[in-house]
Amino acid sequence: ITLHNIAYILMKQGNYSESLKQFQCVLEIQRTLYKETNDHHADIATTLSNIALVLKEQGKHPESLNQYEYVLEILRKLYK
């Protein structure tokens, strides 16, 4: 959680590249912890959503949209 919060603060400060690195590190840890879920876990969806937000802030709109669509797919499977 702390690393996730640091990544979020970096994003709010406009340090998008470092924020993205930190969120990706969080995602790697989560994917290790929840490997049996095949990304279908609420924590992973939250991190992916934050990565999408950073990409949007960087002006990488197509990448951001793809990421958000993947998050939506995860959430639909979790809460069907």
Side-chain angles (χ1 to χ4, degrees):
I1 278 190
T2 301
L3 187 56
H4 198 274
N5 291 341
I6 290 169
Y8 189 79
I9 290 168
L10 288 165
M11 180 190 62
K12 295 302 268 181
Q13 291 176 336
N15 190 347
Y16 303 122
S17 60
E18 188 59 32
S19 174
L20 189 57
K21 286 180 193 175
Q22 297 303 319
F23 277 129
Q24 288 169 337
C25 184
V26 171
L27 183 60
E28 185 178 317
I29 292 167
Q30 290 172 334
R31 282 181 166 157
T32 300
L33 289 173
Y34 308 124
K35 62 184 168 191
E36 70 282 349
T37 68
N38 196 27
D39 279 1
H40 298 128
H41 192 283
D43 290 347
I44 290 174
T46 297
T47 300
L48 289 169
S49 182
N50 283 325
I51 289 171
L53 181 58
V54 173
L55 292 170
K56 181 187 81 73
E57 293 298 324
Q58 288 179 315
K60 297 177 181 177
H61 298 113
E63 291 176 57
S64 177
L65 181 59
N66 287 337
Q67 194 81 333
Y68 277 128
E69 288 171 345
Y70 183 53
V71 170
L72 186 57
E73 178 185 322
I74 292 169
L75 294 175
R76 283 182 174 148
K77 287 179 181 179
L78 283 174
Y79 301 110
K80 61 179 173 174

